[in-house]
Amino acid sequence: MTAHTSPSAGYVTDVAYLPGYYPFMAPARMRYVATLQGIRPPAVSEGFDFLELGCGFGSTLLTLAAANPQGRFTGVDFMPVHTEQIEREVAATDLRNVRVLCADFAKMPADLPQFDFIALHGVFSWVSPELRQCVLEIIRRHLKPDGIVEVTYNCMPGWSSLLPVRTLLRHFAGRAEGDSIARVRQALAIVAEMRKADIPIFHDQPRAAQLVDRLMQADLHYVAHEYLNEHWTVFHVADVLAMFGGIGLGHAGRLPFHHNHWELCAKPQFAAQFQGADIATLETLKDHHANAMFRWDLFSRRPREAWTPWQRADAAADLFFRTASPQASLPHTVTYGGVSAGIAGPPHDRMLEVMGNSSWSLPMLLDEPQLAAFTSEALVEAVDAGVAMGLFRVDGGAVIDPIPPVETIAAAPLTVPLEFNRRAITREDIVNEQVGLASLRTGAGHEIGDLHAVILDELIAGGHEGLEERIAHRLVRTEKHLREHTTGRPITDPAERAKAVGIICDGFFTAVLPELVRQGIVTLGAASPAH
Ligand SMILES: C[S@@+](CC[C@H](N)C(=O)[O-])C[C@H]1O[C@@H](n2cnc3c(N)ncnc32)[C@H](O)[C@@H]1O
């Protein structure tokens, strides 16, 4: 008789994953992508339900919960080390809209409600085929009719030249001693030796060699969870489309934004390949032109509709667009893989003048008399091109505009109103990581570097007096090293460190802090007694 194994067996559970905020999971981004494809997204202003399957330490779940008090957030993960940490954070930050379940996807609690958004990042490629079926069944039963699913996975063809790295890591880890971190460390050391010797597998496939170099710098908790799972696999997009099709869901677009535009994935001379192609062909071609290795896909039950610009504007009336940087100017150029593209001339030049640094919804732009010279089609197209190429940001609300000049902000007493954000910047266990801060205005997280978080924390705690010296001391105390930008060399010499801290503080006051004020994450003025 063979022993019955659980569909969840084979996943690495002896070591924790690592925290990290993922901006693509913000409802506003998912909703924007859906509207881009003619799919009416779930309404969010009166409240919504968000489920994250495999939420790890919950960095994204908690940040989004703090940014959307009207939403109800549920996180599911079967590793108690993850869910217990989330419970502690929930208690400490008094977040009332988070439910965390320590549960296995194969045995979910019976009282799970229906959700507007179901997100799973870092799950689909890393679990057994049986468990994937359990996940699909959870989605089938618990996605509201208008709901959106976001799923990430490793894809072809990008992984074709990288597969040897996974094979070798798993092979040597299987023969090593200790827990998954110890085993992956030993395996990585052997693979790095092979890469250093430039043996044919790495010589012939430079991307595999680059991957090994990157893994040598990566957190081993990440490497263990990415590479050691028994059922790790990689998909062709058409297979994933078929799996979701099997539960009645169609493709609703993808992230990052530019992947929704074939022109930003393939060179213009291949336009004919994309004309009239069905979705599976279109996505397969885009992945091959771009040599994609990872996908963020959205799925929905709703059909794609051919909208007029005003129908599109109405479907997205609570999404706001603004220039990604106050210094935005034209021409704006980008290069994605081998594809270069740009934005110049009308209507963008006039739009930038009219929009300034304010947030604009599509109805506001289409109604704006100063833009009346342009057709509504041209304006909507210009917004989408701007978002795809990073000229514009899309938010779930309007940011503050105007804000005081940089010098006024830098000199003012500052407050961080949300307890969640105060805890995020006070943590000392973050090393070279992005910190997600919640914005009630955008309904999303905003990432800042952990050194910028340290500056903000010191500024709030002790003001400007001796700021740079205090930061330098704190870096020494917490063994947080500044590193040279190009080489990664730790900066330990005190004079060199003081200079580097000065440069980082300048960047914080000129670029980072104004954006935090714009998003309402930092407010001007001393904290009220309640804080
Ligand atoms: C790679 S991590 C991703 C965590 C998080 N989504 C993130 O991006 O930071 C995958 C997560 O899925 C969880 N997981 C894997 N199999 C599971 C199962 N059968 N039931 C519940 N959670 C599971 C793991 O514990 C882990 O935290």
Side-chain angles (χ1 to χ4, degrees), residues 25-32 34 41-44 47-53 61 64 68 71-74 114-120 139 142-144 146-150 298-299:
M25 280 163 65
R29 303 205 177 189
M30 294 195 219
R31 297 176 74 235
Y32 167 74
V44 292
F48 60 91
D49 293 279
F50 186 112
L51 170 66
E52 185 179 358
L53 294 171
L61 186 82
L64 292 176
N68 293 280
R72 294 164 292 272
F73 289 79
T74 303
Q114 293 227 313
F115 295 92
D116 300 279
F117 302 94
I118 300 182
L120 49 152
I139 293 169
H142 295 283
L143 186 70
K144 289 186 189 174
D146 287 355
I148 297 178
V149 175
E150 180 170 74
L298 302 187
F299 289 93

mmCIF file of all heavy atoms in Angstrom, residues 25-32 34 41-44 47-53 61 64 68 71-74 114-120 139 142-144 146-150 298-299:
data_model
loop_
_atom_site.group_PDB
_atom_site.id
_atom_site.type_symbol
_atom_site.label_atom_id
_atom_site.label_comp_id
_atom_site.label_asym_id
_atom_site.label_seq_id
_atom_site.Cartn_x
_atom_site.Cartn_y
_atom_site.Cartn_z
ATOM 1 N N MET A 25 0.036 44.598 -6.849
ATOM 2 C CA MET A 25 -1.161 44.003 -6.255
ATOM 3 C C MET A 25 -2.166 45.056 -5.779
ATOM 4 O O MET A 25 -3.253 44.703 -5.295
ATOM 5 C CB MET A 25 -0.769 43.079 -5.092
ATOM 6 C CG MET A 25 -0.296 41.723 -5.615
ATOM 7 S SD MET A 25 0.630 40.749 -4.434
ATOM 8 C CE MET A 25 -0.597 40.452 -3.217
ATOM 9 N N ALA A 26 -1.851 46.328 -5.931
ATOM 10 C CA ALA A 26 -2.798 47.375 -5.503
ATOM 11 C C ALA A 26 -4.048 47.322 -6.380
ATOM 12 O O ALA A 26 -3.937 47.233 -7.615
ATOM 13 C CB ALA A 26 -2.135 48.742 -5.609
ATOM 14 N N PRO A 27 -5.239 47.373 -5.773
ATOM 15 C CA PRO A 27 -6.471 47.317 -6.570
ATOM 16 C C PRO A 27 -6.503 48.344 -7.704
ATOM 17 O O PRO A 27 -6.982 48.033 -8.794
ATOM 18 C CB PRO A 27 -7.567 47.587 -5.530
ATOM 19 C CG PRO A 27 -7.006 47.059 -4.259
ATOM 20 C CD PRO A 27 -5.521 47.350 -4.319
ATOM 21 N N ALA A 28 -5.977 49.539 -7.488
ATOM 22 C CA ALA A 28 -6.052 50.557 -8.547
ATOM 23 C C ALA A 28 -5.315 50.089 -9.803
ATOM 24 O O ALA A 28 -5.752 50.348 -10.921
ATOM 25 C CB ALA A 28 -5.468 51.887 -8.059
ATOM 26 N N ARG A 29 -4.188 49.421 -9.610
ATOM 27 C CA ARG A 29 -3.423 48.962 -10.785
ATOM 28 C C ARG A 29 -4.171 47.855 -11.514
ATOM 29 O O ARG A 29 -4.241 47.822 -12.740
ATOM 30 C CB ARG A 29 -2.043 48.482 -10.370
ATOM 31 C CG ARG A 29 -1.328 49.596 -9.647
ATOM 32 C CD ARG A 29 0.132 49.498 -9.709
ATOM 33 N NE ARG A 29 0.638 50.693 -9.017
ATOM 34 C CZ ARG A 29 1.883 51.067 -8.988
ATOM 35 N NH1 ARG A 29 2.783 50.381 -9.620
ATOM 36 N NH2 ARG A 29 2.248 52.152 -8.347
ATOM 37 N N MET A 30 -4.749 46.934 -10.728
ATOM 38 C CA MET A 30 -5.518 45.854 -11.377
ATOM 39 C C MET A 30 -6.722 46.443 -12.104
ATOM 40 O O MET A 30 -7.057 46.026 -13.211
ATOM 41 C CB MET A 30 -6.032 44.866 -10.322
ATOM 42 C CG MET A 30 -4.973 44.090 -9.620
ATOM 43 S SD MET A 30 -5.792 42.700 -8.777
ATOM 44 C CE MET A 30 -4.888 42.635 -7.266
ATOM 45 N N ARG A 31 -7.378 47.408 -11.471
ATOM 46 C CA ARG A 31 -8.598 47.985 -12.058
ATOM 47 C C ARG A 31 -8.250 48.741 -13.331
ATOM 48 O O ARG A 31 -8.981 48.694 -14.328
ATOM 49 C CB ARG A 31 -9.294 48.894 -11.039
ATOM 50 C CG ARG A 31 -9.772 48.131 -9.797
ATOM 51 C CD ARG A 31 -10.357 49.052 -8.757
ATOM 52 N NE ARG A 31 -11.658 49.529 -9.147
ATOM 53 C CZ ARG A 31 -11.997 50.808 -9.229
ATOM 54 N NH1 ARG A 31 -11.127 51.750 -8.962
ATOM 55 N NH2 ARG A 31 -13.208 51.144 -9.583
ATOM 56 N N TYR A 32 -7.129 49.466 -13.314
ATOM 57 C CA TYR A 32 -6.734 50.198 -14.517
ATOM 58 C C TYR A 32 -6.499 49.231 -15.680
ATOM 59 O O TYR A 32 -6.985 49.437 -16.798
ATOM 60 C CB TYR A 32 -5.471 51.044 -14.255
ATOM 61 C CG TYR A 32 -4.876 51.551 -15.544
ATOM 62 C CD1 TYR A 32 -5.501 52.591 -16.241
ATOM 63 C CD2 TYR A 32 -3.762 50.957 -16.112
ATOM 64 C CE1 TYR A 32 -5.000 53.033 -17.466
ATOM 65 C CE2 TYR A 32 -3.255 51.378 -17.322
ATOM 66 C CZ TYR A 32 -3.877 52.420 -17.991
ATOM 67 O OH TYR A 32 -3.407 52.843 -19.205
ATOM 68 N N ALA A 34 -7.674 46.261 -16.142
ATOM 69 C CA ALA A 34 -8.937 45.690 -16.616
ATOM 70 C C ALA A 34 -9.639 46.681 -17.562
ATOM 71 O O ALA A 34 -10.091 46.289 -18.647
ATOM 72 C CB ALA A 34 -9.832 45.339 -15.431
ATOM 73 N N PRO A 41 -14.200 46.964 -14.010
ATOM 74 C CA PRO A 41 -13.593 46.429 -12.788
ATOM 75 C C PRO A 41 -14.537 46.524 -11.596
ATOM 76 O O PRO A 41 -15.523 47.270 -11.643
ATOM 77 C CB PRO A 41 -12.392 47.356 -12.583
ATOM 78 C CG PRO A 41 -12.818 48.658 -13.178
ATOM 79 C CD PRO A 41 -13.784 48.352 -14.288
ATOM 80 N N PRO A 42 -14.266 45.793 -10.510
ATOM 81 C CA PRO A 42 -15.113 45.916 -9.313
ATOM 82 C C PRO A 42 -15.055 47.336 -8.764
ATOM 83 O O PRO A 42 -14.014 47.993 -8.850
ATOM 84 C CB PRO A 42 -14.446 44.956 -8.311
ATOM 85 C CG PRO A 42 -13.437 44.181 -9.057
ATOM 86 C CD PRO A 42 -13.117 44.894 -10.317
ATOM 87 N N ALA A 43 -16.182 47.804 -8.229
ATOM 88 C CA ALA A 43 -16.203 49.124 -7.571
ATOM 89 C C ALA A 43 -15.523 48.975 -6.213
ATOM 90 O O ALA A 43 -15.594 47.909 -5.596
ATOM 91 C CB ALA A 43 -17.641 49.580 -7.397
ATOM 92 N N VAL A 44 -14.863 50.035 -5.754
ATOM 93 C CA VAL A 44 -14.138 49.902 -4.479
ATOM 94 C C VAL A 44 -14.522 50.941 -3.427
ATOM 95 O O VAL A 44 -14.240 50.751 -2.243
ATOM 96 C CB VAL A 44 -12.595 49.965 -4.691
ATOM 97 C CG1 VAL A 44 -12.100 48.743 -5.439
ATOM 98 C CG2 VAL A 44 -12.176 51.240 -5.404
ATOM 99 N N GLY A 47 -16.424 49.860 -0.317
ATOM 100 C CA GLY A 47 -15.903 48.666 0.353
ATOM 101 C C GLY A 47 -15.691 47.551 -0.651
ATOM 102 O O GLY A 47 -16.366 47.509 -1.686
ATOM 103 N N PHE A 48 -14.742 46.671 -0.350
ATOM 104 C CA PHE A 48 -14.472 45.544 -1.247
ATOM 105 C C PHE A 48 -13.749 44.468 -0.454
ATOM 106 O O PHE A 48 -13.251 44.708 0.656
ATOM 107 C CB PHE A 48 -13.617 45.998 -2.439
ATOM 108 C CG PHE A 48 -12.273 46.563 -2.062
ATOM 109 C CD1 PHE A 48 -11.153 45.748 -1.979
ATOM 110 C CD2 PHE A 48 -12.123 47.911 -1.769
ATOM 111 C CE1 PHE A 48 -9.921 46.258 -1.623
ATOM 112 C CE2 PHE A 48 -10.890 48.441 -1.407
ATOM 113 C CZ PHE A 48 -9.786 47.619 -1.331
ATOM 114 N N ASP A 49 -13.731 43.261 -1.024
ATOM 115 C CA ASP A 49 -13.096 42.123 -0.348
ATOM 116 C C ASP A 49 -11.902 41.640 -1.154
ATOM 117 O O ASP A 49 -12.019 41.396 -2.357
ATOM 118 C CB ASP A 49 -14.115 40.993 -0.181
ATOM 119 C CG ASP A 49 -15.215 41.409 0.779
ATOM 120 O OD1 ASP A 49 -14.995 41.320 1.984
ATOM 121 O OD2 ASP A 49 -16.278 41.870 0.290
ATOM 122 N N PHE A 50 -10.782 41.506 -0.473
ATOM 123 C CA PHE A 50 -9.506 41.180 -1.125
ATOM 124 C C PHE A 50 -8.928 39.947 -0.442
ATOM 125 O O PHE A 50 -8.817 39.904 0.774
ATOM 126 C CB PHE A 50 -8.562 42.379 -0.937
ATOM 127 C CG PHE A 50 -7.245 42.294 -1.667
ATOM 128 C CD1 PHE A 50 -6.977 43.153 -2.729
ATOM 129 C CD2 PHE A 50 -6.251 41.409 -1.271
ATOM 130 C CE1 PHE A 50 -5.752 43.108 -3.397
ATOM 131 C CE2 PHE A 50 -5.026 41.351 -1.943
ATOM 132 C CZ PHE A 50 -4.783 42.216 -3.000
ATOM 133 N N LEU A 51 -8.569 38.941 -1.250
ATOM 134 C CA LEU A 51 -7.980 37.709 -0.705
ATOM 135 C C LEU A 51 -6.586 37.526 -1.282
ATOM 136 O O LEU A 51 -6.405 37.617 -2.496
ATOM 137 C CB LEU A 51 -8.850 36.506 -1.105
ATOM 138 C CG LEU A 51 -8.289 35.106 -0.827
ATOM 139 C CD1 LEU A 51 -8.158 34.839 0.674
ATOM 140 C CD2 LEU A 51 -9.185 34.038 -1.467
ATOM 141 N N GLU A 52 -5.620 37.281 -0.406
ATOM 142 C CA GLU A 52 -4.299 36.891 -0.912
ATOM 143 C C GLU A 52 -4.034 35.451 -0.508
ATOM 144 O O GLU A 52 -4.001 35.113 0.683
ATOM 145 C CB GLU A 52 -3.179 37.800 -0.399
ATOM 146 C CG GLU A 52 -1.861 37.394 -1.074
ATOM 147 C CD GLU A 52 -0.642 38.228 -0.691
ATOM 148 O OE1 GLU A 52 -0.778 39.180 0.098
ATOM 149 O OE2 GLU A 52 0.446 37.895 -1.196
ATOM 150 N N LEU A 53 -3.848 34.607 -1.501
ATOM 151 C CA LEU A 53 -3.531 33.194 -1.258
ATOM 152 C C LEU A 53 -2.012 33.049 -1.208
ATOM 153 O O LEU A 53 -1.331 33.392 -2.180
ATOM 154 C CB LEU A 53 -4.100 32.329 -2.386
ATOM 155 C CG LEU A 53 -5.627 32.266 -2.484
ATOM 156 C CD1 LEU A 53 -6.058 31.565 -3.771
ATOM 157 C CD2 LEU A 53 -6.223 31.560 -1.266
ATOM 158 N N LEU A 61 -0.298 42.614 1.880
ATOM 159 C CA LEU A 61 -1.666 42.562 2.424
ATOM 160 C C LEU A 61 -1.881 43.673 3.457
ATOM 161 O O LEU A 61 -2.877 44.411 3.399
ATOM 162 C CB LEU A 61 -1.863 41.188 3.087
ATOM 163 C CG LEU A 61 -3.262 40.879 3.578
ATOM 164 C CD1 LEU A 61 -4.109 40.379 2.400
ATOM 165 C CD2 LEU A 61 -3.247 39.815 4.673
ATOM 166 N N LEU A 64 -1.741 47.299 1.936
ATOM 167 C CA LEU A 64 -2.978 47.628 1.211
ATOM 168 C C LEU A 64 -4.143 47.791 2.185
ATOM 169 O O LEU A 64 -5.012 48.648 1.984
ATOM 170 C CB LEU A 64 -3.291 46.542 0.175
ATOM 171 C CG LEU A 64 -2.309 46.459 -1.000
ATOM 172 C CD1 LEU A 64 -2.665 45.292 -1.919
ATOM 173 C CD2 LEU A 64 -2.297 47.771 -1.793
ATOM 174 N N ASN A 68 -6.438 51.163 2.578
ATOM 175 C CA ASN A 68 -7.847 51.059 2.147
ATOM 176 C C ASN A 68 -8.723 50.648 3.329
ATOM 177 O O ASN A 68 -9.171 49.490 3.399
ATOM 178 C CB ASN A 68 -7.981 50.003 1.042
ATOM 179 C CG ASN A 68 -7.296 50.408 -0.241
ATOM 180 O OD1 ASN A 68 -7.828 51.183 -1.030
ATOM 181 N ND2 ASN A 68 -6.091 49.895 -0.444
ATOM 182 N N GLY A 71 -11.784 48.605 2.684
ATOM 183 C CA GLY A 71 -11.672 47.243 2.157
ATOM 184 C C GLY A 71 -11.528 46.231 3.275
ATOM 185 O O GLY A 71 -11.142 46.571 4.394
ATOM 186 N N ARG A 72 -11.857 44.983 2.970
ATOM 187 C CA ARG A 72 -11.685 43.888 3.941
ATOM 188 C C ARG A 72 -10.667 42.917 3.335
ATOM 189 O O ARG A 72 -10.860 42.443 2.212
ATOM 190 C CB ARG A 72 -13.022 43.181 4.194
ATOM 191 C CG ARG A 72 -14.055 44.076 4.888
ATOM 192 C CD ARG A 72 -15.452 43.520 4.781
ATOM 193 N NE ARG A 72 -15.964 43.538 3.423
ATOM 194 C CZ ARG A 72 -16.630 44.576 2.847
ATOM 195 N NH1 ARG A 72 -16.877 45.668 3.548
ATOM 196 N NH2 ARG A 72 -17.046 44.507 1.595
ATOM 197 N N PHE A 73 -9.593 42.671 4.075
ATOM 198 C CA PHE A 73 -8.457 41.922 3.534
ATOM 199 C C PHE A 73 -8.287 40.593 4.257
ATOM 200 O O PHE A 73 -8.234 40.559 5.488
ATOM 201 C CB PHE A 73 -7.183 42.758 3.661
ATOM 202 C CG PHE A 73 -7.168 43.934 2.717
ATOM 203 C CD1 PHE A 73 -7.887 45.090 3.008
ATOM 204 C CD2 PHE A 73 -6.477 43.872 1.516
ATOM 205 C CE1 PHE A 73 -7.901 46.158 2.127
ATOM 206 C CE2 PHE A 73 -6.485 44.940 0.626
ATOM 207 C CZ PHE A 73 -7.205 46.083 0.928
ATOM 208 N N THR A 74 -8.201 39.510 3.484
ATOM 209 C CA THR A 74 -7.984 38.187 4.054
ATOM 210 C C THR A 74 -6.689 37.620 3.490
ATOM 211 O O THR A 74 -6.490 37.631 2.265
ATOM 212 C CB THR A 74 -9.146 37.232 3.681
ATOM 213 O OG1 THR A 74 -10.362 37.817 4.142
ATOM 214 C CG2 THR A 74 -8.974 35.865 4.328
ATOM 215 N N GLN A 114 -17.023 35.629 -0.505
ATOM 216 C CA GLN A 114 -16.649 35.869 -1.911
ATOM 217 C C GLN A 114 -15.814 37.144 -1.988
ATOM 218 O O GLN A 114 -15.971 38.052 -1.164
ATOM 219 C CB GLN A 114 -17.907 36.012 -2.737
ATOM 220 C CG GLN A 114 -18.694 34.706 -2.803
ATOM 221 C CD GLN A 114 -19.105 34.386 -4.209
ATOM 222 O OE1 GLN A 114 -19.616 35.256 -4.905
ATOM 223 N NE2 GLN A 114 -18.903 33.168 -4.645
ATOM 224 N N PHE A 115 -14.964 37.215 -3.003
ATOM 225 C CA PHE A 115 -13.987 38.308 -3.066
ATOM 226 C C PHE A 115 -14.040 39.056 -4.406
ATOM 227 O O PHE A 115 -14.286 38.457 -5.445
ATOM 228 C CB PHE A 115 -12.576 37.751 -2.859
ATOM 229 C CG PHE A 115 -12.380 37.177 -1.497
ATOM 230 C CD1 PHE A 115 -12.612 35.822 -1.269
ATOM 231 C CD2 PHE A 115 -12.001 37.973 -0.428
ATOM 232 C CE1 PHE A 115 -12.457 35.287 -0.003
ATOM 233 C CE2 PHE A 115 -11.843 37.446 0.839
ATOM 234 C CZ PHE A 115 -12.078 36.103 1.057
ATOM 235 N N ASP A 116 -13.737 40.378 -4.302
ATOM 236 C CA ASP A 116 -13.614 41.202 -5.512
ATOM 237 C C ASP A 116 -12.245 41.015 -6.155
ATOM 238 O O ASP A 116 -12.096 41.143 -7.373
ATOM 239 C CB ASP A 116 -13.787 42.683 -5.150
ATOM 240 C CG ASP A 116 -15.131 42.959 -4.538
ATOM 241 O OD1 ASP A 116 -16.096 43.093 -5.310
ATOM 242 O OD2 ASP A 116 -15.232 43.015 -3.290
ATOM 243 N N PHE A 117 -11.240 40.781 -5.305
ATOM 244 C CA PHE A 117 -9.871 40.588 -5.803
ATOM 245 C C PHE A 117 -9.294 39.347 -5.132
ATOM 246 O O PHE A 117 -9.376 39.203 -3.915
ATOM 247 C CB PHE A 117 -8.977 41.788 -5.444
ATOM 248 C CG PHE A 117 -9.480 43.101 -5.972
ATOM 249 C CD1 PHE A 117 -10.269 43.919 -5.176
ATOM 250 C CD2 PHE A 117 -9.170 43.519 -7.260
ATOM 251 C CE1 PHE A 117 -10.751 45.135 -5.657
ATOM 252 C CE2 PHE A 117 -9.643 44.727 -7.752
ATOM 253 C CZ PHE A 117 -10.440 45.539 -6.955
ATOM 254 N N ILE A 118 -8.734 38.454 -5.953
ATOM 255 C CA ILE A 118 -7.990 37.321 -5.396
ATOM 256 C C ILE A 118 -6.596 37.362 -6.020
ATOM 257 O O ILE A 118 -6.465 37.327 -7.253
ATOM 258 C CB ILE A 118 -8.663 35.960 -5.703
ATOM 259 C CG1 ILE A 118 -10.080 35.919 -5.102
ATOM 260 C CG2 ILE A 118 -7.828 34.814 -5.155
ATOM 261 C CD1 ILE A 118 -10.829 34.599 -5.309
ATOM 262 N N ALA A 119 -5.580 37.512 -5.170
ATOM 263 C CA ALA A 119 -4.208 37.626 -5.683
ATOM 264 C C ALA A 119 -3.376 36.460 -5.185
ATOM 265 O O ALA A 119 -3.509 36.048 -4.025
ATOM 266 C CB ALA A 119 -3.594 38.944 -5.211
ATOM 267 N N LEU A 120 -2.538 35.914 -6.068
ATOM 268 C CA LEU A 120 -1.577 34.912 -5.630
ATOM 269 C C LEU A 120 -0.257 35.161 -6.331
ATOM 270 O O LEU A 120 -0.168 35.060 -7.549
ATOM 271 C CB LEU A 120 -2.072 33.480 -5.805
ATOM 272 C CG LEU A 120 -2.668 32.974 -7.099
ATOM 273 C CD1 LEU A 120 -2.438 31.491 -7.239
ATOM 274 C CD2 LEU A 120 -4.154 33.256 -7.122
ATOM 275 N N ILE A 139 -10.758 29.763 -6.378
ATOM 276 C CA ILE A 139 -11.087 30.934 -7.206
ATOM 277 C C ILE A 139 -12.496 30.768 -7.804
ATOM 278 O O ILE A 139 -13.310 31.697 -7.780
ATOM 279 C CB ILE A 139 -10.024 31.125 -8.319
ATOM 280 C CG1 ILE A 139 -8.686 31.495 -7.683
ATOM 281 C CG2 ILE A 139 -10.467 32.172 -9.333
ATOM 282 C CD1 ILE A 139 -7.507 31.453 -8.647
ATOM 283 N N HIS A 142 -14.998 31.324 -4.963
ATOM 284 C CA HIS A 142 -14.988 32.514 -4.110
ATOM 285 C C HIS A 142 -14.742 33.830 -4.837
ATOM 286 O O HIS A 142 -14.602 34.863 -4.189
ATOM 287 C CB HIS A 142 -13.959 32.325 -2.981
ATOM 288 C CG HIS A 142 -14.338 31.207 -2.057
ATOM 289 N ND1 HIS A 142 -15.313 31.337 -1.092
ATOM 290 C CD2 HIS A 142 -13.906 29.923 -1.998
ATOM 291 C CE1 HIS A 142 -15.449 30.189 -0.454
ATOM 292 N NE2 HIS A 142 -14.618 29.311 -0.985
ATOM 293 N N LEU A 143 -14.689 33.808 -6.159
ATOM 294 C CA LEU A 143 -14.544 35.075 -6.890
ATOM 295 C C LEU A 143 -15.936 35.618 -7.194
ATOM 296 O O LEU A 143 -16.784 34.904 -7.735
ATOM 297 C CB LEU A 143 -13.769 34.855 -8.195
ATOM 298 C CG LEU A 143 -13.442 36.128 -8.976
ATOM 299 C CD1 LEU A 143 -12.393 36.967 -8.242
ATOM 300 C CD2 LEU A 143 -12.921 35.789 -10.381
ATOM 301 N N LYS A 144 -16.158 36.892 -6.837
ATOM 302 C CA LYS A 144 -17.451 37.500 -7.161
ATOM 303 C C LYS A 144 -17.601 37.594 -8.687
ATOM 304 O O LYS A 144 -16.593 37.603 -9.407
ATOM 305 C CB LYS A 144 -17.528 38.913 -6.556
ATOM 306 C CG LYS A 144 -17.650 38.915 -5.040
ATOM 307 C CD LYS A 144 -17.878 40.347 -4.554
ATOM 308 C CE LYS A 144 -17.789 40.416 -3.035
ATOM 309 N NZ LYS A 144 -17.857 41.799 -2.513
ATOM 310 N N ASP A 146 -17.986 39.988 -10.706
ATOM 311 C CA ASP A 146 -17.176 41.052 -11.328
ATOM 312 C C ASP A 146 -15.721 41.018 -10.894
ATOM 313 O O ASP A 146 -14.952 41.939 -11.200
ATOM 314 C CB ASP A 146 -17.730 42.430 -10.929
ATOM 315 C CG ASP A 146 -19.029 42.723 -11.647
ATOM 316 O OD1 ASP A 146 -19.427 41.911 -12.502
ATOM 317 O OD2 ASP A 146 -19.635 43.773 -11.330
ATOM 318 N N GLY A 147 -15.347 39.977 -10.142
ATOM 319 C CA GLY A 147 -14.028 39.987 -9.493
ATOM 320 C C GLY A 147 -12.867 39.835 -10.457
ATOM 321 O O GLY A 147 -13.016 39.407 -11.602
ATOM 322 N N ILE A 148 -11.674 40.192 -9.950
ATOM 323 C CA ILE A 148 -10.432 40.074 -10.723
ATOM 324 C C ILE A 148 -9.464 39.176 -9.961
ATOM 325 O O ILE A 148 -9.314 39.309 -8.745
ATOM 326 C CB ILE A 148 -9.761 41.453 -10.914
ATOM 327 C CG1 ILE A 148 -10.661 42.387 -11.728
ATOM 328 C CG2 ILE A 148 -8.404 41.307 -11.594
ATOM 329 C CD1 ILE A 148 -10.077 43.779 -11.905
ATOM 330 N N VAL A 149 -8.817 38.274 -10.710
ATOM 331 C CA VAL A 149 -7.765 37.427 -10.135
ATOM 332 C C VAL A 149 -6.430 37.922 -10.660
ATOM 333 O O VAL A 149 -6.306 38.269 -11.839
ATOM 334 C CB VAL A 149 -7.944 35.954 -10.570
ATOM 335 C CG1 VAL A 149 -6.788 35.096 -10.068
ATOM 336 C CG2 VAL A 149 -9.261 35.406 -10.053
ATOM 337 N N GLU A 150 -5.447 37.948 -9.784
ATOM 338 C CA GLU A 150 -4.084 38.261 -10.231
ATOM 339 C C GLU A 150 -3.193 37.080 -9.879
ATOM 340 O O GLU A 150 -3.150 36.668 -8.718
ATOM 341 C CB GLU A 150 -3.568 39.519 -9.544
ATOM 342 C CG GLU A 150 -2.160 39.898 -9.968
ATOM 343 C CD GLU A 150 -1.757 41.270 -9.456
ATOM 344 O OE1 GLU A 150 -1.497 41.381 -8.252
ATOM 345 O OE2 GLU A 150 -1.736 42.240 -10.230
ATOM 346 N N LEU A 298 -3.879 38.951 -15.169
ATOM 347 C CA LEU A 298 -5.195 39.176 -14.560
ATOM 348 C C LEU A 298 -6.227 38.323 -15.293
ATOM 349 O O LEU A 298 -6.138 38.144 -16.513
ATOM 350 C CB LEU A 298 -5.608 40.648 -14.659
ATOM 351 C CG LEU A 298 -4.679 41.682 -14.023
ATOM 352 C CD1 LEU A 298 -5.324 43.061 -14.069
ATOM 353 C CD2 LEU A 298 -4.329 41.321 -12.588
ATOM 354 N N PHE A 299 -7.215 37.848 -14.535
ATOM 355 C CA PHE A 299 -8.313 37.081 -15.123
ATOM 356 C C PHE A 299 -9.631 37.583 -14.555
ATOM 357 O O PHE A 299 -9.686 38.083 -13.423
ATOM 358 C CB PHE A 299 -8.159 35.584 -14.825
ATOM 359 C CG PHE A 299 -7.030 34.951 -15.577
ATOM 360 C CD1 PHE A 299 -5.764 34.848 -14.995
ATOM 361 C CD2 PHE A 299 -7.213 34.490 -16.864
ATOM 362 C CE1 PHE A 299 -4.717 34.294 -15.698
ATOM 363 C CE2 PHE A 299 -6.157 33.927 -17.573
ATOM 364 C CZ PHE A 299 -4.913 33.825 -16.993
#
